[in-house]
Amino acid sequence: MLLSTKNSSNGKMINLGWYQEALEQFEEIAEKDHQATYQLGVMNYDGLGTPTNAEKGVECMKKILDSPCPKTRHLKFAAAYNLGRAYYEGRGVKRSDEEAERLWLFAADNGNPKASVKAQSTLGLYYSTKEPKELEKAFYWHSEACGNGNLESQGALGLMYFYGQGIRQNTEAALHCLREAAERGNVYAQGILVEYYYKKKFFTKCVTFSKRIADYDEVHDIPMIAKVTGCLPEFINRGMALACFYYARCLQLGLGITKDEATAKHYYSKVSSRTKYKLPNRKAGFLLTLNFMNYCFCLWESLCRQPVYKDVLRLTDGFHTTPVGY
């Protein structure tokens, strides 16, 4: 019978027995089976059924990438993507952005839908966060990834069209991308649409949409949303923070909903919990004043002007197990 344990960080049940049994089987056939070598790399790098061993994980991926055997062709793109992540993170190898970029470009294979779509999307994010930024390249790679079905890149394209980054500003194209991404579950795209509805004074629509998103954390686990959608947890948190903020502001001012300062305060506090910005402590029973509301608004405007942190690329959970399409 498989042994199960509860992972305290996300509450999910992990079948340790299955991982351990699989690890033993992969080790037995790795010399003759390239797929087994690939899975061994993933399991060692991510510590699945075995203590984390990034060096061994990297070694397995290099074996796949350097193998002349034609049977490894379908694994090479995924192995290159994983190696690129290892170089970017400096785990198992010396950190090198240049080597990470080279490997991701190989894995992306000029937008080939049968290559690593995850690498295509990652390049879009990489070029928009490196210094100096290369936004035209970022737009190109997000376009390729989006065309191949990547949800993160579809939302990113919406933002780039919205603000004219790497492409001429086009609000119609931006809304098209954002709405499609939002319908498919991109929480950051949903948050951006909430902000758009608020600024356009579509308050009833803003309230309805923002309330649902702001309460995601009551029924959904952020890591699970990230796993299902393929979107980064950082952006999921930002989308939820946007929704919380604008829902709180509507409650505070009575826009599209009955004015409720106590509930507004609750949702303002949820903004703080999802960002690096902390609201000041207030005495019990303190009613939100105009000055405090303005403080919250200025704080949020400051947050919106902040670039996405470069370390956002480090927030995924290790090597990807799917050989094709990621």
Side-chain angles (χ1 to χ4, degrees):
M1 191 168 97
L2 297 181
L3 299 176
S4 294
T5 186
K6 192 170 185 179
N7 186 319
S8 60
S9 66
N10 57 24
K12 295 184 293 186
M13 300 302 292
I14 305 294
N15 288 321
L16 289 182
W18 185 90
Y19 283 133
Q20 291 164 354
E21 182 180 344
L23 185 73
E24 292 173 3
Q25 293 180 3
F26 289 147
E27 287 176 338
E28 288 180 7
I29 63 174
E31 291 301 319
K32 299 179 181 179
D33 190 311
H34 301 294
Q35 183 74 51
T37 301
Y38 180 90
Q39 296 299 343
L40 274 178
V42 172
M43 296 179 81
N44 277 281
Y45 193 89
D46 293 344
L48 302 175
T50 183
T52 300
N53 187 335
E55 289 79 8
K56 188 171 182 178
V58 167
E59 180 185 341
C60 289
M61 293 299 157
K62 285 184 174 180
K63 281 184 180 180
I64 296 294
L65 197 57
D66 296 339
S67 174
C69 179
K71 292 183 179 180
T72 62
R73 174 181 289 181
H74 71 294
L75 297 170
K76 286 184 181 290
F77 293 130
Y81 168 75
N82 285 336
L83 276 176
R85 178 160 296 285
Y87 275 100
Y88 191 84
E89 295 173 346
R91 289 185 59 204
V93 289
K94 184 178 179 181
R95 190 177 187 283
S96 170
D97 286 2
E98 292 76 16
E99 186 63 8
E101 180 183 3
R102 184 188 73 80
L103 286 160
W104 284 335
L105 285 168
F106 173 84
D109 194 33
N110 295 316
N112 178 1
K114 295 183 178 180
S116 173
V117 178
K118 189 67 177 178
Q120 295 162 14
S121 181
T122 298
L123 282 167
L125 186 57
Y126 172 74
Y127 286 125
S128 64
T129 55
K130 70 189 291 285
E131 292 297 339
K133 294 179 174 62
E134 298 182 64
L135 295 177
E136 289 79 10
K137 288 185 179 180
F139 182 85
Y140 169 80
W141 283 112
H142 278 311
S143 296
E144 295 299 307
C146 177
N148 291 326
N150 187 274
L151 181 55
E152 185 94 83
S153 283
Q154 188 173 33
L157 279 181
L159 283 171
M160 297 186 85
Y161 274 122
F162 227 148
Y163 297 110
Q165 296 181 337
I167 190 70
R168 180 175 294 182
Q169 188 176 20
N170 186 329
T171 302
E172 184 178 350
L175 291 174
H176 176 76
C177 287
L178 289 170
R179 284 170 178 154
E180 283 202 351
E183 287 175 3
R184 294 175 59 203
N186 186 316
V187 179
Y188 192 41
Q190 293 170 2
I192 294 297
L193 285 173
V194 165
E195 182 177 47
Y196 174 78
Y197 295 145
Y198 180 89
K199 291 184 175 180
K200 287 294 182 179
K201 299 184 179 181
F202 302 149
F203 297 125
T204 301
K205 194 169 188 176
C206 176
V207 166
T208 302
F209 202 27
S210 63
K211 173 66 164 63
R212 177 161 55 86
I213 302 163
D215 290 338
Y216 275 166
D217 56 353
E218 295 182 8
V219 291
H220 297 291
D221 179 66
I222 297 300
M224 182 56 67
I225 295 175
K227 182 177 181 180
V228 171
T229 64
C231 297
L232 290 169
E234 168 72 9
F235 289 112
I236 294 171
N237 273 314
R238 281 183 171 231
M240 291 178 66
L242 274 163
C244 288
F245 177 80
Y246 285 105
Y247 184 58
R249 192 154 174 82
C250 286
L251 284 166
Q252 177 72 38
L253 300 176
L255 302 172
I257 193 172
T258 303
K259 189 173 181 179
D260 186 340
E261 292 186 336
T263 304
K265 184 177 180 182
H266 167 69
Y267 282 96
Y268 275 133
S269 70
K270 291 181 74 170
V271 176
S272 178
S273 71
R274 300 215 163 271
T275 68
K276 68 176 183 175
Y277 294 93
K278 300 302 177 186
L279 300 181
N281 292 325
R282 296 285 173 172
K283 295 180 180 178
F286 174 76
L287 292 178
L288 292 172
T289 64
L290 181 61
N291 285 338
F292 183 58
M293 182 196 72
N294 287 338
Y295 167 81
C296 291
F297 186 71
C298 291
L299 179 149
W300 182 251
E301 290 291 293
S302 176
L303 170 64
C304 290
R305 286 193 294 270
Q306 296 298 316
V308 176
Y309 318 119
K310 188 178 182 191
D311 283 351
V312 75
L313 280 172
R314 305 179 201 280
L315 296 179
T316 54
D317 49 2
F319 279 178
H320 280 259
T321 57
T322 309
V324 179
Y326 280 77

